[in-house]
């Protein structure tokens, strides 16, 4: 779960301090500032705090966290797949904001997050017998 929180905030860890210090502005921001800030606020204002809260609550054995993890990891899996599809499309259409390396890293992250999601959801796939 900590990896998921870091993954969601990783892209902003370097961009925001640069922007605040008057350095280079990310190309994504220049292309569409409102979309950039919407995703920024969604990730760092909602998703990361919920991920941290669920993670800490799981460590403390909270019952609600064992239920919340299903929605949370499902969200991460679906969003990373969607972002990967977007980046692949951008790469195919020669968008200068995406590189092959970025797509490869995102592909690996998507595989890992999807595998983690399947592992979390495994209780739902257990075979039960009817009596």
């Amino acid at each position: 779960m900590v990896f998921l929180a870091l993954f969601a905030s990783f892209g902003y860890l370097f961009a925001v301090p640069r922007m605040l210090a008057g350095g280079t502005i990310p190309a994504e921001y220049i292309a569409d500032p409102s979309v950039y800030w919407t995703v920024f606020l969604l990730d760092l204002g909602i998703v990361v705090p919920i991920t941290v809260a669920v993670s800490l609550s799981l460590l403390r054995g909270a019952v609600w966290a064992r239920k919340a993890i299903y929605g949370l990891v499902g969200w991460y899996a679906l969003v990373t797949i969607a972002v990967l599809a977007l980046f692949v499309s951008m790469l195919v259409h020669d968008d200068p904001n995406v590189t092959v390396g970025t797509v490869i890293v995102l592909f690996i992250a998507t595989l890992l997050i999807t595998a983690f999601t399947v592992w979390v959801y495994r209780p739902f796939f257990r075979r039960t017998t009817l009596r």
Side-chain angles (χ1 to χ4, degrees):
M1 293 298 296
V2 173
F3 168 75
L4 294 177
L6 290 173
F7 179 74
S9 58
F10 183 75
Y12 306 110
L13 292 177
F14 304 107
V16 172
R18 276 195 318 248
M19 288 177 8
L20 293 175
T24 58
I25 297 173
E28 300 87 11
Y29 177 83
I30 294 170
D32 196 342
S34 59
V35 170
Y36 180 82
W37 286 112
T38 300
V39 174
F40 174 90
L41 292 172
L42 173 67
D43 287 347
L44 296 183
I46 298 172
V47 176
V48 171
I50 289 173
T51 304
V52 170
V54 170
S55 300
L56 293 175
S57 298
L58 280 170
L59 290 173
R60 295 180 179 163
V63 175
W64 71 266
R66 287 183 286 193
K67 295 177 182 179
I69 193 171
Y70 295 114
L72 191 60
V73 298
W75 183 89
Y76 273 103
L78 293 174
V79 167
T80 53
I81 291 168
V83 171
L84 175 62
L86 172 70
F87 276 36
V88 167
S89 174
M90 291 169 69
L91 186 66
V92 167
H93 292 97
D94 297 322
D95 190 310
N97 296 318
V98 178
T99 64
V100 173
T102 304
V103 172
I104 290 171
V105 168
L106 188 57
F107 178 75
I108 292 168
T110 301
L111 287 177
L112 292 172
I113 291 169
T114 303
F116 178 66
T117 303
V118 170
W119 180 78
V120 167
Y121 275 80
R122 75 187 185 285
F124 293 110
F125 300 114
R126 288 190 185 135
R127 176 175 247 174
T128 58
T129 57
L130 298 175
R131 293 181 187 200

